Amino acid sequence: MKNKLISTILLFLTPFLWGQKIDFNIKYSEPLAVFIFIQNLSENYPENVFKTEFERSKYNTEEYKNLISKFEKLAIDYSYQFEEFPYASKTPMQSRDILKKNLMETKNLNDFKLRSIGIVPNNVLNYLTTYITAFTPVYNELIYQPNKQKFEKQLAEITDYANNHQLENYFETGLLFYNSSWDPSIPFEIAFYPFPNSEYFTAQAFYNNFISAIQTNLKDYKDLFSVMLHETYHIIYNEEPLEVKVQIDETFKKNPSKYSNYAYLLMNEVLATALGNGYVYETLNRKPDANDWYFHKYIDLMAKKIYPLVKEYIIEKKSIDKNFVDQYIHLYEINFPSWINEPENIMSYRYVISENKNDFTAIRRKFRYRSMEENETEISPNSIEKMKKTPLTKIIIVSKNNPQKLSLIKSEFTELKKWKYVSDKEFVHKILLEDKSQLIIINQKKSSLNKFLSTLE
């Protein structure tokens, strides 16, 4: 394989090669802010400042609570996969994100409806705009107006900060590093909204959009911008051309290290952290961040370990290549050899088959951080075959018809050919498969699943 993953071709010329800069538009979007406000009032959302303000206001009535309940039940979550891309290398389309994108870029709610026709059923779209209309004065009275002066001052300062620190240059750095592509005629739309009585800001990026709630006492913006670029680098990674994605995937799979699969699963978040919380923060602050870069220790430690190599590639204006991938895997292997057996790590990327739906909830409570998750409720040749096609940690929980189900599992995995077990006895069996993912089989009779999950430690 050539050292370069793919040569630069005209189709994927990046903006700095054209000499054309990408526009970054920073603004406030009332329709988007109101949508997120209602979303945070939903019963399934944890306690938050929006709920607090609403619950102690005059609007905390049966009429408005009924609207919140109806909003929560709206069928606005659809998705589709990009099947030709390697597994998990490209984020599925999410209809909720497209709706937020349209709210963010719309002129009014009628314009929003015209943009959004076909994304969700028309009656759902009509209900959604009705609820946003009803809650707009509520949001303005409780959240926006009391914080308007501070927030608008912040918005002006953030815009100046972005211009003074040439935000577009960091975007272009990411394009070159990831060997990714972007049409410079497509602007990057950034929407902020006030987050009163909070000690933190939020961040989400998708398509050509970034959304953030900012606390009203925020005055230092380097943390905000490093996180914003972190999220933006996920977009740039997501937009790598198919040829780049395939060759990166092949490089990981051909690497002989038994650690390559779990290193690969970690990579997207690790690189975004090294670039955003490492490079961007250090450039803005003139020295590295001495605190944790990420709340999940595996991502934090690996990002710091790979950062010198990432920085070297940035300085030398090099794109991710076979040499980078091989060094990345080597650093993972020599520094963190225990990680492929640590539950907190391997359970972050999981495919669970269980005939008891409550097991999925129990696993989520035990292993709260999850990057990728798939679930099946039938132990069958078809479900196991689907599981085998993924690089995720594979967990099969057998609690019914144990002899037959265990026999089926054994027949479906060549690595279990010599496996011996007693179906009448409870056990946990773990084995590293040929695809370098862990297979965990739980034979459950009377004990709780939590007891088995504790033994994984």
Side-chain angles (χ1 to χ4, degrees):
M1 181 187 287
K2 292 182 180 178
N3 193 44
K4 268 297 203 182
L5 287 174
I6 187 171
S7 59
T8 304
I9 55 177
L10 289 174
L11 181 61
F12 300 123
L13 277 175
T14 48
F16 51 84
L17 293 175
W18 280 326
Q20 185 176 347
K21 296 289 186 181
I22 296 168
D23 289 330
F24 282 77
N25 300 325
I26 297 174
K27 62 184 178 182
Y28 164 70
S29 166
E30 180 183 82
L32 174 69
V34 175
F35 174 87
I36 294 172
F37 175 68
I38 308 172
Q39 191 173 260
N40 277 270
L41 300 182
S42 298
E43 189 175 314
N44 290 334
Y45 264 65
E47 292 304 310
N48 58 77
V49 295
F50 295 137
K51 265 190 181 181
T52 300
E53 291 299 323
F54 175 79
E55 287 173 356
R56 66 188 184 190
S57 75
K58 65 184 182 183
Y59 298 103
N60 188 14
T61 64
E62 289 304 313
E63 177 187 359
Y64 281 103
K65 286 192 285 187
N66 186 43
L67 291 178
I68 294 167
S69 178
K70 289 180 177 179
F71 170 88
E72 193 171 19
K73 294 173 184 174
L74 282 179
I76 60 175
D77 291 299
Y78 300 89
S79 69
Y80 65 76
Q81 300 282 345
F82 297 89
E83 300 288 351
E84 72 275 27
F85 283 80
Y87 183 86
S89 69
K90 190 166 179 65
T91 306
M93 184 287 299
Q94 303 290 344
S95 57
R96 185 179 290 257
D97 288 342
I98 294 180
L99 292 173
K100 285 192 284 190
K101 170 184 172 62
N102 289 347
L103 284 168
M104 180 175 172
E105 298 176 0
T106 193
K107 298 174 183 175
N108 52 61
L109 288 177
N110 190 56
D111 179 51
F112 164 70
K113 283 198 286 188
L114 291 174
R115 289 170 179 259
S116 303
I117 288 290
I119 296 172
V120 295
N122 284 0
N123 67 321
V124 172
L125 193 58
N126 286 331
Y127 282 129
L128 178 59
T129 53
T130 298
Y131 302 152
I132 292 174
T133 300
F135 274 90
T136 296
V138 179
Y139 172 79
N140 282 328
E141 182 177 331
L142 299 182
I143 305 297
Y144 193 78
Q145 288 300 328
N147 300 285
K148 179 180 178 180
Q149 187 174 356
K150 284 184 178 179
F151 173 72
E152 290 183 352
K153 181 175 182 291
Q154 285 179 311
L155 202 60
E157 291 173 351
I158 288 169
T159 302
D160 288 341
Y161 192 93
N163 292 332
N164 294 337
H165 292 86
Q166 298 179 308
L167 183 61
E168 67 275 7
N169 289 347
Y170 295 106
F171 191 88
E172 292 169 358
T173 295
L175 285 174
L176 180 55
F177 174 79
Y178 283 106
N179 202 2
S180 192
S181 61
W182 193 268
D183 182 346
S185 68
I186 299 174
F188 206 79
E189 304 287 348
I190 302 170
F192 294 101
Y193 55 95
F195 204 32
N197 306 316
S198 176
E199 297 302 316
Y200 62 91
F201 55 82
T202 68
Q204 183 191 15
F206 48 84
Y207 309 126
N208 64 320
N209 309 99
F210 175 79
I211 298 170
S212 176
I214 52 173
Q215 65 268 44
T216 49
N217 61 350
L218 182 65
K219 293 181 171 60
D220 187 346
Y221 301 116
K222 56 181 178 293
D223 283 315
L224 174 65
F225 272 70
S226 65
V227 172
M228 179 166 66
L229 268 301
H230 170 124
E231 297 300 327
T232 303
Y233 290 134
H234 284 307
I235 294 177
I236 296 174
Y237 171 79
N238 196 51
E239 291 302 326
E240 286 174 338
L242 176 60
E243 293 88 344
V244 174
K245 295 280 194 195
V246 168
Q247 292 199 45
I248 289 174
D249 186 74
E250 289 177 351
T251 301
F252 271 97
K253 287 178 177 174
K254 290 178 180 178
N255 189 287
S257 171
K258 70 178 182 180
Y259 301 89
S260 61
N261 179 55
Y262 284 102
Y264 190 14
L265 290 171
L266 203 66
M267 185 184 73
N268 184 4
E269 204 63 64
V270 163
L271 293 184
T273 302
L275 284 160
N277 308 77
Y279 175 74
V280 173
Y281 185 94
E282 181 179 353
T283 306
L284 294 175
N285 193 49
R286 301 184 184 276
K287 61 181 180 180
D289 188 353
N291 301 310
D292 290 344
W293 292 1
Y294 201 89
F295 66 89
H296 195 55
K297 77 168 186 177
Y298 300 99
I299 293 164
D300 179 68
L301 293 174
M302 190 62 202
K304 289 174 178 175
K305 192 61 64 175
I306 197 65
Y307 179 54
L309 183 62
V310 169
K311 194 173 177 181
E312 176 188 317
Y313 267 62
I314 292 172
I315 292 170
E316 296 180 7
K317 298 187 182 302
K318 293 166 60 178
S319 298
I320 183 172
D321 54 18
K322 181 180 183 300
N323 176 63
F324 182 93
V325 170
D326 288 341
Q327 287 195 63
Y328 169 81
I329 296 169
H330 180 66
L331 286 171
Y332 186 107
E333 179 173 354
I334 63 172
N335 290 284
F336 311 112
S338 67
W339 282 7
I340 64 168
N341 288 304
E342 293 184 15
E344 287 292 339
N345 181 37
I346 65 174
M347 293 295 283
S348 299
Y349 318 87
R350 58 186 181 249
Y351 196 125
V352 183
I353 302 179
S354 174
E355 294 175 321
N356 181 358
K357 290 183 179 180
N358 292 331
D359 289 348
F360 308 137
T361 302
I363 290 172
R364 289 187 194 117
R365 286 175 179 163
K366 178 68 175 176
F367 302 103
R368 294 186 180 277
Y369 178 83
R370 67 184 190 272
S371 178
M372 302 175 204
E373 179 184 49
E374 294 203 34
N375 298 313
E376 288 276 354
T377 56
E378 182 184 22
I379 301 174
S380 67
N382 183 55
S383 65
I384 294 174
E385 188 60 31
K386 287 169 63 179
M387 169 187 268
K388 286 164 63 177
K389 290 178 180 178
T390 77
L392 307 179
T393 299
K394 299 161 179 62
I395 305 102
I396 307 178
I397 303 167
V398 182
S399 58
K400 303 173 185 177
N401 302 318
N402 299 55
Q404 295 90 338
K405 297 297 171 66
L406 289 170
S407 177
L408 171 63
I409 294 166
K410 180 176 179 177
S411 68
E412 291 292 327
F413 291 92
T414 57
E415 297 90 346
L416 297 177
K417 186 176 181 180
K418 297 181 180 180
W419 179 41
K420 295 181 180 181
Y421 58 86
V422 179
S423 61
D424 288 338
K425 291 187 177 181
E426 295 188 322
F427 62 78
V428 175
H429 181 71
K430 182 162 72 73
I431 183 173
L432 189 68
L433 300 174
E434 289 180 7
D435 71 355
K436 304 168 188 174
S437 70
Q438 296 281 13
L439 170 64
I440 301 170
I441 303 166
I442 297 175
N443 193 45
Q444 183 183 27
K445 303 292 282 186
K446 295 181 179 179
S447 300
S448 70
L449 179 59
N450 285 330
K451 181 179 177 181
F452 290 106
L453 297 177
S454 297
T455 67
L456 297 178
E457 305 292 341

